[in-house]
Structures are given as C-alpha cells and as structure tokens.
Amino acid sequence: MVPPRHQAVPDELQAQSKPLGLEDIRFRIGDSTDGMQRVGKESIAKERAYLASIGHKGSLPPVAFLAISGGGDAGAFGAGLLNGWTKTGERPEFKLVTGVSTGALIAPFAFLGPEYDAHLKEFYTTITPKDIIKRRWILTAIFSDALADNTPLKSLIKKYVNREFLNRVATEYTKGRILLIATTDLDARKPVIWDMTKIASSRDPQALKLFRSIMLASAAVPGAMPPTMIDIEIDGMQYQEMHVDGGTMAQVFVYPPNINIRKVAGKHRAQRKRRLFVIRNSRLDAEWASVERSAMSIAGRAISSLIHSQGVGDLYRIYATAKRDDVDFNLAYIPASFNEPHKEEFDREFMQKLFALGYKQGAEGYSWHKVPPGYIAN
C-alpha cells in the first residue's frame, strides 16, 4: 500500500516554505542567490570576530574547501582518504564542507575533523546491507514507495548524530565555518542546498530531527529507498515536501556557479588564498562490463552510465568555476587499478579494501589531480 502524504507545497507558495520557520537555512538552485550570499557575508563576519577573540591581527588567513561526492558504498574511499590524510598531519580545517548522497553521510564528520575519523572508519568498514536497508517483499515493494525500507540507515544516523554532535556543529558555526548538504525536492524538481550549520545553531527542538532527516534524504536513492517527507506549515495549513538523493541532480557540488566568489570577496574586503579539495567516490574511467540481454541489466547499465557521465560533467563545471574564481583545484578519485569484486551494495569486504586503499593513498600524501580527467590545459 502506498504510504499517504500531505499535499505538496504548491508552486506559488514555494517562497513561503520555511522549515523551522527560519530564513536562509536552505537554497534552491536556480532561484535568487541573495540568501546564499548573505550566508557567505555572515560567515566572514563570524570568522573575523572569532579570529579577533583569539588575538589574530591582519588579513584573513588562507582557507580550504572540501566537497565530497556520492557513490554509495564507494564512500569508503573518501572515508579512508580522510583518515589517511589525518595521519600526515597536513589535513586542514575546512572553512566549507559539502556533501551529496554518501558524501552527505561523510560530510558532517569530516567537518568536525579528525576526532571523528574513527566513526567514519567504523561506518564504512563494519556495516553490511542489513545495517542500511530492510528488503521488502516484492509485491509490497511494487505497491509501496521503494524496493526497500531504509529504517536501519535512519537508526544508524541516529546513533552517531545526537544532541552533543549538533552542539559541536553549532560551535563551529560561531567561528564562521559552513556545512552544506544537498537533497532533491521531487515536487519542485529542484536541487536544494541546506545550511546544516545554521540548522544546528538554531537551538530549535526540532533541529536535530531535521538535521538527521536531511542526511537520510540525501542518501535515499529514488525507488530503492523511501523518500524523506519534510513537514511544512504555511498559514496554518499542513504540507509535505518529498526529498530524495541529491545525486539525482549533481554528484558533487561546492557553490552555485552564478556566485562569483572572487567578486563577492572583493566587495567585502575578504580577499585570500582558497584551495578546493574534491573527493569523487568513484572511478572516472569507463568501466567495461558484459551486459546481460535483459531489461533490468540494460536499464541498470544505462543508468550507471548516465551517473558516471553526470559526475564527470560536475567536475568540469566545478573546475571552470574554481578557475574563474582563482580557487586552487584539487581532485581525488578511485584509480582504475582498483578492481575488487563488488557482490552487492554495502558489501563489507569491498568497502574494507576500498577504505584501505584510500587510507594508504592519504597517509602517503595523496597526489591530487589538478584538472578533471581528460582535460588538456593550454
């Protein structure tokens, strides 16, 4: 039986749709960038105040951004790379961290720093499929909202993300740091970027629930996992938004290309050196496979090809934006030499080996790629 839902937020009321009743906690790509620019301006003001409180004088110090992509259980690569990077003693504290899909599960821990590396390792080396989903009986799945129930993943997020965790994120918000996670609003058919730091700092009693829901939604592959329904009240009327995997719109993101950071920084006297690190939890070469002549195999292969192409396109868009804004671009991805068997999604043995690869490369000092794959500089 298809689960019931409240009415979707009508198109003409989209601007009034404000979870927790707060301004500027999320932004729809394609809409005005005014709200996101306000967030950037506020973060600079908070950072300046924090630096002054610890005795810093002079210009703003250099900063680093981190963007973590989707990739399902291949997120083990990013988790391992971050753990190994910590080992070198050269992992920066990131001014901005963004995450999509499995990257949305990694991003909050990466944002809070090396203290949470052990949680990432545990998550990506000890779980099995039953820790993420509960498969539904085939007839139930056909007449429901997904092939599987993601209640186990919901419980896992709840285990790691508690009130203390939220308070830690809120503390970093006061320093001017930003954590962003992307979901897709299926009703509006638009990607949505959520300011998780502002949600955490709101102190609203429902903030923890919303924070967890966004992480769950961003990792909810449409059709495979149920969507996350987010309750909205407008003028006393109850509505619901349907949110799913942010990867349906982009495999990785940093900030909208229609925001020119260099110009904005100049306007607010915030010129500084900026480095961007992108972790793509995927191989970027075209992986060969013998496809069975069946509808499911053909459709599955076509969809994975689309995701692969989209992911490469995302990297080119990010690279072009970074080059325009004078941001130093750095890219990591799974090498073509990694060919371990992948028996099923969230295959523990596969994840352990991928984590070990990421850790080894990170601990040895990862040789970051300076351009997207196939790009030839002049």
Side-chain angles (χ1 to χ4, degrees):
M1 181 178 178
V2 177
R5 65 166 293 184
H6 288 307
Q7 178 185 349
V9 178
D11 188 44
E12 65 272 15
L13 296 181
Q14 291 289 314
Q16 299 177 48
S17 181
K18 298 174 183 176
L20 305 184
L22 297 174
E23 297 282 353
D24 295 341
I25 65 168
R26 66 175 186 178
F27 316 94
R28 288 186 170 87
I29 300 300
D31 292 352
S32 169
T33 63
D34 290 350
M36 186 162 278
Q37 291 196 51
R38 281 195 299 271
V39 167
K41 183 179 178 181
E42 289 170 5
S43 80
I44 293 297
K46 290 179 184 298
E47 183 182 4
R48 282 189 168 123
Y50 170 70
L51 290 172
S53 74
I54 60 174
H56 175 84
K57 296 180 180 179
S59 59
L60 291 170
V63 288
F65 302 156
L66 175 67
I68 310 170
S69 83
D73 56 7
F77 172 74
L81 183 66
L82 286 165
N83 271 258
W85 197 355
T86 296
K87 190 76 173 177
T88 67
E90 296 180 359
R91 177 177 157 186
E93 178 181 80
F94 300 103
K95 166 77 173 176
L96 167 70
V97 177
T98 71
V100 176
S101 196
T102 197
L105 301 179
I106 298 172
F109 301 97
F111 178 77
L112 290 181
E115 183 181 344
Y116 287 84
D117 281 359
H119 294 310
L120 285 177
K121 181 178 181 180
E122 180 181 13
F123 190 96
Y124 283 98
T125 62
T126 66
I127 62 171
T128 62
K130 66 180 178 61
D131 298 309
I132 302 297
I133 59 171
K134 180 179 180 181
R135 301 190 187 280
R136 289 171 170 166
W137 185 46
I138 187 63
L139 288 180
T140 302
I142 290 173
F143 294 103
S144 189
D145 57 358
L147 296 175
D149 181 356
N150 60 354
T151 298
L153 176 58
K154 185 177 182 180
S155 298
L156 208 55
I157 292 172
K158 186 176 181 179
K159 170 186 172 182
Y160 291 106
V161 180
N162 52 26
R163 175 53 62 179
E164 179 186 355
F165 187 96
L166 216 65
N167 290 341
R168 294 290 300 274
V169 173
T171 296
E172 298 309 306
Y173 174 74
T174 65
K175 301 175 185 177
R177 299 179 64 216
I178 304 172
L179 170 63
L180 304 176
I181 285 178
T183 64
T184 299
D185 182 342
L186 274 187
D187 296 317
R189 203 161 71 172
K190 286 185 177 182
V192 179
I193 296 177
W194 298 82
D195 185 343
M196 306 297 279
T197 29
K198 193 159 189 175
I199 292 171
S201 69
S202 72
R203 308 300 180 183
D204 188 288
Q206 295 301 309
L208 180 58
K209 178 183 177 182
L210 180 60
F211 196 102
R212 291 168 173 167
S213 294
I214 294 164
M215 290 179 66
L216 183 68
S218 188
V221 180
M225 298 179 181
T228 297
M229 308 306 297
I230 294 180
D231 295 325
I232 301 291
E233 181 177 326
I234 302 175
D235 295 332
M237 293 289 293
Q238 298 298 317
Y239 301 95
Q240 280 185 323
E241 295 177 347
M242 181 181 289
H243 287 259
V244 298
D245 192 340
T248 61
M249 292 295 186
Q251 291 300 305
V252 64
F253 77 100
V254 185
Y255 54 87
N258 55 349
I259 294 179
N260 188 315
I261 280 190
R262 183 165 55 177
K263 287 185 177 179
V264 173
K267 181 179 178 182
H268 297 291
R269 297 178 293 104
Q271 297 92 337
R272 68 206 314 184
K273 290 184 178 180
R274 296 177 177 85
R275 291 182 298 161
L276 166 64
F277 297 92
V278 180
I279 299 177
R280 180 68 179 106
N281 292 302
S282 173
R283 284 173 49 174
L284 296 183
D285 58 307
E287 298 178 66
W288 183 91
S290 177
V291 183
E292 294 180 14
R293 193 167 181 176
S294 69
M296 292 300 292
S297 294
I298 293 170
R301 181 67 170 174
I303 291 171
S304 66
S305 297
L306 177 62
I307 291 172
H308 175 268
S309 297
Q310 177 199 44
V312 173
D314 291 335
L315 296 177
Y316 271 77
R317 183 190 69 250
I318 290 170
Y319 175 75
T321 304
K323 192 174 174 101
R324 179 199 67 191
D325 294 349
D326 198 24
V327 177
D328 180 44
F329 178 88
N330 300 272
L331 170 66
Y333 53 86
I334 300 171
S337 58
F338 184 79
N339 285 299
E340 293 297 328
H342 190 210
K343 302 170 187 175
E344 60 182 342
E345 285 301 312
F346 302 102
D347 175 351
R348 179 187 288 175
E349 185 176 356
F350 171 84
M351 289 190 294
Q352 288 174 343
K353 291 181 177 179
L354 190 50
F355 180 94
L357 170 68
Y359 181 87
K360 182 175 184 294
Q361 292 188 335
E364 291 177 350
Y366 190 84
S367 181
W368 294 87
H369 302 270
K370 303 303 293 184
V371 296
Y375 182 86
I376 300 175
N378 292 332

